[in-house]
Amino acid sequence: MLKSLGSALQLMRYFTAQQPAWGVRELAKASGVHHAVVHRVLATFAAEGYLVQDELGRYALGLRWFEMGEIVRHTVSPTEVVGPVLHRLVEESGETVFLSVLDGDEGLCLNIAHSEQQLRFSIEEGQRFPLHEGSHGKAILAFLPDAVRAGLCAQAQPHGEPVERAALDAHLEQIRTEGWAYTCEESAPGVAGIAVPVWTRDRQRVAGSLAISGPMQRLDEASVPRLLDVLREAQRKIEGVVGLLR
């Protein structure tokens, strides 16, 4: 029973911001699960309101996930505290700010406050990202246990190419030493970012990151010292209230 439930939930992971709707045979091909099983799982989730069907018979996530997501959102990152902290950080930095959490072997953007600048970095709440690219990922990766970090680095393939391990390891060591990460044009062309890790309340493990991202012509290395002060102040406030960080 539990194995079947686990398999059914694995199929739900295929519904992403990049591909929010699936046909039965399409999902069966992508997942390697027999189409009859996929049909039964999707129909069951649809009957309970977790999926809906469009006019072409394709399935998309239903509002029950939204309801549950709102419960998690308010539990994990209380909006009455996190929201104002992020918006204050936007005012002080002039750039987009976002809070991410570690979820499995990926990062997950949990909260975001957008810059009012016309040219700005774009990421969405709920978007996942690899940990080996960008300051927001590396601020997490650098502080993972040695064995976990080594395994993730070995699998890393930025832009489809094998990662240069020596350079990555050296950068992660620098991040651990300094306590913050700065990257330029790793997550997107023309984009730079600075991030700090967000720790559990007992300070025993890294749980996520808090990042400022924007065009590299505004967010250059000369801006780092000024931004670090406000970023660390926001980091302290968020670590004190985020429910997940226990």
Side-chain angles (χ1 to χ4, degrees):
M1 175 65 177
L2 290 179
K3 183 178 180 181
S4 298
L5 177 59
S7 298
L9 290 173
Q10 282 295 319
L11 288 176
M12 294 300 101
R13 295 178 65 89
Y14 284 87
F15 292 85
T16 65
Q18 291 71 38
Q19 180 142 2
W22 290 88
V24 171
R25 292 190 178 276
E26 182 184 20
L27 182 53
K29 182 178 180 180
S31 65
V33 179
H34 194 277
H35 68 85
V37 175
V38 172
H39 179 269
R40 185 163 62 250
V41 169
L42 298 186
T44 299
F45 273 99
E48 297 298 327
Y50 290 97
L51 293 175
V52 293
Q53 272 187 293
D54 62 20
E55 61 277 6
L56 298 178
R58 288 161 58 86
Y59 288 87
L61 297 181
L63 289 177
R64 287 203 179 275
W65 293 113
F66 175 78
E67 295 172 9
M68 297 176 71
E70 284 300 290
I71 296 172
V72 174
R73 179 185 174 87
H74 284 83
T75 302
V76 172
S77 56
T79 55
E80 68 274 11
V81 175
V82 173
V85 170
L86 296 187
H87 285 288
R88 176 66 183 273
L89 193 50
V90 169
E91 293 175 357
E92 294 173 322
S93 68
E95 305 295 345
T96 293
V97 175
F98 55 100
L99 171 67
S100 302
V101 293
L102 175 64
D103 187 33
D105 58 1
E106 296 178 303
L108 175 68
C109 179
L110 193 65
N111 298 84
I112 188 165
H114 287 288
S115 165
E116 294 184 359
Q117 301 272 10
Q118 188 172 10
L119 182 62
R120 66 191 187 192
F121 176 61
S122 178
I123 190 171
E124 302 298 329
E125 291 179 355
Q127 184 174 327
R128 293 178 176 274
F129 54 84
L131 300 179
H132 61 272
E133 293 179 342
S135 63
H136 50 303
K138 286 183 172 178
I140 300 173
L141 180 60
F143 297 96
L144 291 176
D146 293 346
V148 176
R149 185 175 65 254
L152 291 176
C153 288
Q155 300 170 25
Q157 288 194 342
H159 311 299
E161 298 294 332
V163 68
E164 174 49 60
R165 279 296 305 277
L168 177 58
D169 288 342
H171 192 198
L172 295 178
E173 177 61 31
Q174 178 185 0
I175 293 168
R176 283 192 296 277
T177 300
E178 297 178 339
W180 52 272
Y182 174 81
T183 61
C184 189
E185 294 195 291
E186 287 193 2
S187 56
V191 172
I194 177 173
V196 293
V198 176
W199 294 90
T200 56
R201 289 176 180 171
D202 59 9
R203 307 292 296 180
Q204 295 302 302
R205 61 182 178 86
V206 64
S209 67
L210 180 63
I212 300 172
S213 290
M216 62 184 191
Q217 60 264 37
R218 294 200 306 259
L219 200 61
D220 58 13
E221 290 192 65
S223 68
V224 170
R226 174 181 63 85
L227 294 176
L228 265 179
D229 288 340
V230 294
L231 192 57
R232 284 171 170 158
E233 178 62 25
Q235 173 195 34
R236 287 190 288 270
K237 292 178 180 177
I238 285 176
E239 284 178 340
V241 300
V242 176
L244 182 68
L245 310 182
R246 296 190 175 93

